[in-house]
Amino acid sequence: MPFQRKDLLGIRELEVHEIEHILELAFSLKEINSRSIKKVPTLRGKTVVHLFYEASTRTRTSFDIAAKRLSADTFSIGATTSSLTKGETFLDTVKNLEAMKPDIFIIRHSASGTPHRIAQRTPVAVINAGDGMHEHPSQALLDMMTIRQFKGRLDGLNVLLVGDIAHSRVARSNIWGLTKMGSRVTTCAPRTLLPPHLETLGVQVCPRMEEAIPHADVIMILRLQKERQEQKLLPSLREYAVQFGVNAQRLRRAKKDVLIMHPGPINRGVEVSPDVADGPHSVILEQVTNGVALRMALLYLLAQNQP
Amino acid sequence: MQQEGFASFLLRQARVLDPEHHRDETADILVSGGILKEVTPHLNIRETGLSNVQEIDLEGKWVAPGFVDMHVHLREPGEEYKETIESGTRAAVAGGYVAVACMPNTHPVNDSSAVTRFIVDRARERGSCHVFPVASITLGSRGKDLTEMGELQEAGAVALSDDGRPVMDSMTMRRALEYSRTYNLLVISHAEDLSLAANGVMNEGPTSTLLGLRGIPAAAEEVMIARDILLSQLTGAPVHIAHVSTEGSVSLIRNAKNLGIQVTGETAPHYFTLTDDAIMKFDTVFKVNPPIRRHRDVEAVKRGLADGTLDAIATDHAPHSSLEKDTEFEFAANGAIGLESALPLALGLVREGVLSPLEMVAKLSRNPARILGIPLGSLETGKPAHLTVIDPEAAYVLDAETFQSKSRNCPFHGWKVQGQVLMTVVDGRIAFTRLNL
Ligand SMILES: [Zn+2]
């Protein structure tokens, strides 16, 4: 069997053949999303609970649409509606929900490792929808799906990751996924936004955008949180935009078929200029479209693996 | 004549390890009326004139001066659901300890003679072993105003520390070292630069990057050790460095000792046993402060123990309940219990050839007693008997469920270990035993 896990917690522990299998399934499910009646009965009678301890409209909506198109029933527990703030621990919440017999938990949490700790304690399947600075596996998978869609392959490509690698779960999941699939990953950012011992993750570090851009087949731009300036990791957002922002002028030295990607939401004018975000190389919206298909594939696989 | 409550017993043919007297030999030990009467190669009971002497055959076993743990958290007053002086000292004697020094981060903080006296009194009423309070350096351990050290000493405090927190302000630390010197009260440094530690939750290194957890760099510890060594040199006051965990810390202390600066250091079993890879599954039982580090740090800590840079093995016994530990990794409290698992882990160093049996005993008894200035850690005939009896060979699985401590946050639960405490004698009384007597 190509994918036999109870949970999908991260990319780091996945085998290449598992990633292949997920991507293939996602491509085959994508067609459902362009039908006039976008619904198949595959997960009828299954209950999917979104457990979001951290605000996120995009990821939750994407998972929700994916589940509904597979005919699952979905429910959302947000940090505001949860009893977390009333002294209930995350395990209490999970055990309470578990008693209502759901099939899949989709969990986002600001603390790294929390979906893993929950998965160890519950028979319910767990999908990690982003944990702290650790992993965001569905995002990395949809990114790989998008690259493969446009480039036909992942093997041998040069992928440039620009921006806040240190605090980014998207970066970590992509680094593990892309390097497993044979891409070469280079990072470009001020040193304060690179995690210590980054080289141990198997990536190159290039401090100059001008040197990095010409080699890139894909430029993946990460979101820069404004609070990084308050944390004194950057002297100013202005300098960041000047030194590391991706703009049309910088792209003149890029390959003609370079792909511009961004996990969203975008800080226009900071990490990417509007003309690039909306320009001919941008596949940012296709990432969003692929996100639904990819998440349908994950829900389908985990539901299938349940006893 | 047998004194009330005291039995007479004769420990037969154990390997006696007494670092103070450089003794490592097979001998008989006679305890009577609470007093260590004799330590001699062969003792004839009839010649002692005593009746009702219980003979305990200890061939193949070790007897050491009772262990002293210079760094524990007993949680009383204030957090009795985690540990009490009663349960913590029961755990202590089960681990071979005849005395513990308890850190002041209770609720309220031990920053007044009232709290110190409460601890001393409670230990006298309900304790299974001796308890020596460590009072705080500053009021509330807030790092600002010095405590009334003279009065704290009169109430029973044997040392000062803001353990759990550093004294961040260097001038306050200087004044603390100078003022405490008036009373010959030792200052124990919890070396952590809070701004460098930056709310980190594990060691900064490849594993923290892998797991997306905020890291605490080795430098956060080393910067403060360097500062406190310099302040010790400046003031002439001795300083003791608690829970040393990094390679750099060991070399700073080694260099300072070579320069004749009065610095001593302790480490704990988790720092010479565990690496930060243990956190890969986000298990909060491995969350301690300072954090468990890298392999090279573990090796450096062992070298520091071997060459005498690190004087003592303490446990930093830090009980927490599931309320503090069964949470997200980031939000979990720091700390691990250690009193009932220290001996087999220390014996691991003997089996590895890092320490001789005599050196191990010195780091568990004589050295911490000397550093704290308390009259324990050696076998003195004519004085109250404080003994720890060890079976160095016993192989078993550590089971935290069977521990005397109220808490279960033991990182070594389920480990196959070798070496067990068979009996602990406090003031001539058998305070704990696994033997069928
Ligand atoms: Zn401490």
Side-chain angles (χ1 to χ4, degrees):
Chain A
M1 276 288 284
F3 187 90
Q4 286 189 306
R5 293 170 191 271
K6 167 185 162 281
D7 313 294
L8 193 272
L9 297 172
I11 302 291
R12 194 170 55 82
E13 60 264 30
L14 292 187
E15 305 285 342
V16 168
H17 72 87
E18 292 177 299
I19 296 174
E20 291 284 2
H21 184 70
I22 295 167
L23 295 184
E24 274 163 38
L25 184 63
F27 277 117
S28 71
L29 292 172
K30 192 176 173 185
E31 172 267 332
I32 296 168
N33 296 316
S34 47
R35 293 181 193 171
S36 62
I37 296 175
K38 305 177 185 60
K39 208 172 180 93
V40 293
T42 321
L43 295 192
R44 196 162 57 198
K46 297 282 182 187
T47 306
V48 173
V49 175
H50 303 292
L51 195 50
F52 275 55
Y53 289 92
E54 191 184 70
S56 154
T57 348
R58 292 157 172 264
T59 304
R60 195 176 59 189
T61 307
S62 179
F63 267 113
D64 201 43
I65 291 175
K68 287 188 164 119
R69 289 193 178 159
L70 293 172
S71 300
D73 298 310
T74 70
F75 300 90
S76 273
I77 316 286
T80 44
T81 55
S82 96
S83 36
L84 177 76
T85 42
K86 295 173 205 150
E88 193 178 72
T89 69
F90 71 97
L91 278 171
D92 292 331
T93 311
V94 165
K95 287 288 161 193
N96 267 284
L97 292 169
E98 189 186 303
M100 301 179 213
K101 310 294 177 201
D103 300 286
I104 298 177
F105 283 138
I106 297 169
I107 300 175
R108 166 161 296 191
H109 203 294
S110 62
S112 302
T114 305
H116 307 67
R117 284 177 63 70
I118 291 172
Q120 289 159 15
R121 305 285 197 90
T122 180
V124 178
V126 173
I127 296 179
N128 178 6
D131 65 316
M133 306 183 292
H134 183 217
E135 284 243 34
H136 193 349
S138 64
Q139 178 70 43
L141 288 164
L142 74 88
D143 290 342
M144 288 189 273
M145 180 183 177
T146 307
I147 296 172
R148 181 170 278 180
Q149 179 184 327
F150 287 95
K151 296 287 185 190
R153 66 192 169 109
L154 292 162
D155 189 36
L157 292 180
N158 289 319
V159 180
L160 176 62
L161 269 173
V162 184
D164 188 0
I165 317 283
H167 303 88
S168 175
R169 53 191 172 219
V170 175
R172 280 177 178 74
S173 287
N174 263 304
I175 287 169
W176 286 310
L178 289 165
T179 52
K180 272 179 213 281
M181 301 307 284
S183 306
R184 280 182 297 273
V185 179
T186 304
T187 61
C188 194
R191 273 255 79 138
T192 46
L193 297 183
L194 296 178
H197 308 279
L198 177 61
E199 9 17 281
T200 58
L201 303 185
V203 304
Q204 306 270 322
V205 177
C206 176
R208 311 278 314 161
M209 288 289 277
E210 278 60 33
E211 285 167 34
I213 281 181
H215 307 286
D217 297 299
V218 177
I219 301 176
M220 222 180 249
I221 305 162
L222 297 168
R223 177 177 165 76
L224 185 77
Q225 307 271 356
K226 300 234 158 71
E227 70 212 53
R228 303 299 168 229
Q229 189 187 336
E230 290 147 33
Q231 294 167 334
K232 301 185 177 69
L233 293 166
L234 294 171
S236 70
L237 292 181
R238 196 194 73 84
E239 168 149 297
Y240 182 83
V242 171
Q243 298 286 334
F244 296 95
V246 179
N247 54 40
Q249 199 198 335
R250 283 219 159 95
L251 279 194
R252 269 189 229 138
R253 306 195 54 204
K255 291 188 180 177
K256 281 188 182 54
D257 58 349
V258 70
L259 293 185
I260 298 294
M261 300 176 70
H262 192 299
I266 299 173
N267 287 315
R268 285 172 184 263
V270 182
E271 69 259 12
V272 61
S273 65
D275 50 355
V276 170
D278 307 327
H281 298 290
S282 169
V283 295
I284 294 173
L285 294 177
E286 192 63 17
Q287 288 175 268
V288 179
T289 303
N290 286 339
V292 175
L294 190 280
R295 289 172 175 125
M296 286 166 74
L298 294 179
L299 291 165
Y300 173 80
L301 286 171
L302 291 189
Q304 269 216 323
N305 289 350
Q306 284 186 325
Chain B
M1 265 289 287
Q2 203 166 303
Q3 245 178 281
E4 260 291 290
F6 290 103
S8 298
F9 50 90
L10 178 59
L11 307 179
R12 281 280 191 211
Q13 294 302 294
R15 179 174 176 184
V16 176
L17 294 155
D18 179 12
E20 183 68 23
H21 301 101
H22 310 285
R23 178 189 271 140
D24 180 356
E25 63 187 359
T26 303
D28 290 348
I29 295 179
L30 177 67
V31 176
S32 177
I35 302 298
L36 181 65
K37 291 286 190 191
E38 298 235 37
V39 183
T40 179
H42 272 286
L43 191 84
N44 189 333
I45 291 195
R46 269 170 296 166
E47 285 170 18
T48 66
L50 292 164
S51 56
N52 287 330
V53 178
Q54 180 161 29
E55 282 187 74
I56 304 169
D57 177 29
L58 291 179
E59 223 179 298
K61 312 294 188 277
W62 298 359
V63 176
F67 295 166
V68 175
D69 190 344
M70 65 184 305
H71 193 142
V72 304
H73 299 269
L74 295 180
R75 304 300 188 207
E76 190 177 359
E79 290 179 313
E80 292 82 358
Y81 67 100
K82 295 179 179 179
E83 196 81 285
T84 59
I85 289 168
E86 187 176 355
S87 67
T89 55
R90 261 205 323 267
V93 293
Y97 293 94
V98 301
V100 295
C102 59
M103 289 296 161
N105 61 338
T106 45
H107 299 285
V109 169
N110 182 10
D111 60 2
S112 69
S113 54
V115 179
T116 301
R117 227 171 261 124
F118 165 81
I119 294 168
V120 170
D121 292 346
R122 185 53 63 99
R124 210 168 274 147
E125 289 161 22
R126 302 192 189 169
S128 300
C129 70
H130 290 272
V131 174
F132 294 97
V134 177
S136 67
I137 299 170
T138 62
L139 290 178
S141 285
R142 283 186 295 269
K144 294 209 157 46
D145 308 300
L146 299 186
T147 52
E148 296 170 334
M149 297 174 182
E151 195 172 298
L152 285 163
Q153 185 176 44
E154 282 168 17
V158 295
L160 300 159
S161 179
D162 277 357
D163 187 54
R165 300 181 57 79
V167 176
M168 275 296 285
D169 183 79
S170 302
M171 189 52 146
T172 306
M173 190 61 164
R174 174 192 177 156
R175 294 298 179 224
L177 287 165
E178 286 172 337
Y179 189 78
S180 64
R181 214 184 145 200
T182 319
Y183 305 99
N184 268 328
L185 263 176
L186 177 72
V187 170
I188 300 173
S189 164
H190 167 108
E192 177 186 12
D193 183 311
L194 290 177
S195 47
L196 273 175
N199 299 317
V201 297
M202 70 170 290
N203 179 52
E204 177 178 309
T207 310
S208 65
T209 290
L210 197 78
L211 296 178
L213 291 170
R214 287 189 307 273
I216 302 170
E221 176 174 321
E222 293 154 5
V223 160
M224 287 302 251
I225 292 179
R227 181 199 74 171
D228 290 344
I229 284 169
L230 292 170
L231 290 177
S232 165
Q233 192 178 30
L234 176 69
T235 59
V239 67
H240 176 76
I241 311 295
H243 40 58
V244 170
S245 75
T246 79
E247 185 183 23
S249 301
V250 173
S251 82
L252 282 164
I253 296 169
R254 184 181 290 125
N255 293 340
K257 284 189 166 187
N258 287 339
L259 292 170
I261 298 169
Q262 300 176 71
V263 57
T264 50
E266 82 195 22
T267 190
H270 39 283
Y271 300 117
F272 61 70
T273 310
L274 297 171
T275 62
D276 63 3
D277 300 327
I279 295 168
M280 289 300 276
K281 289 199 164 83
F282 297 95
D283 189 343
T284 59
V285 81
F286 298 109
K287 190 176 174 191
V288 289
N289 189 26
I292 46 175
R293 308 276 187 182
R294 305 292 295 166
H295 180 70
R296 57 184 302 161
D297 298 301
V298 170
E299 292 305 312
V301 166
K302 287 185 199 169
R303 281 196 304 277
L305 284 166
D307 71 9
T309 301
L310 298 176
D311 305 87
I313 296 172
T315 66
D316 198 359
H317 179 79
H320 287 297
S321 79
S322 64
L323 286 175
E324 292 81 23
K325 282 295 193 182
D326 217 354
T327 69
E328 294 86 338
F329 192 87
E330 252 177 57
F331 308 148
N334 289 308
I337 54 171
L339 283 167
E340 292 166 86
S341 52
L343 172 76
L345 298 165
L347 272 170
L349 297 178
V350 174
R351 279 189 297 272
E352 276 182 57
V354 174
L355 298 177
S356 70
L358 209 54
E359 287 167 333
M360 180 200 79
V361 168
K363 288 178 201 291
L364 288 167
S365 63
R366 184 200 50 180
N367 297 358
R370 264 197 195 171
I371 293 167
L372 292 173
I374 54 180
L376 291 169
S378 71
L379 299 181
E380 304 287 341
T381 49
K383 295 275 168 60
H386 297 285
L387 305 169
T388 301
V389 181
I390 299 162
D391 179 348
E393 304 298 334
Y396 60 103
V397 173
L398 272 176
D399 181 1
E401 295 303 322
T402 66
F403 284 1
Q404 297 298 315
S405 171
K406 272 193 172 187
S407 289
R408 295 289 170 261
N409 52 314
C410 170
F412 306 104
H413 173 68
W415 279 41
K416 279 188 189 150
V417 294
Q418 215 183 331
Q420 197 168 41
V421 172
L422 290 182
M423 187 162 91
T424 308
V425 176
V426 180
D427 285 316
R429 284 192 177 88
I430 297 173
F432 170 83
T433 184
R434 283 195 171 84
L435 296 167
N436 256 328
L437 297 178

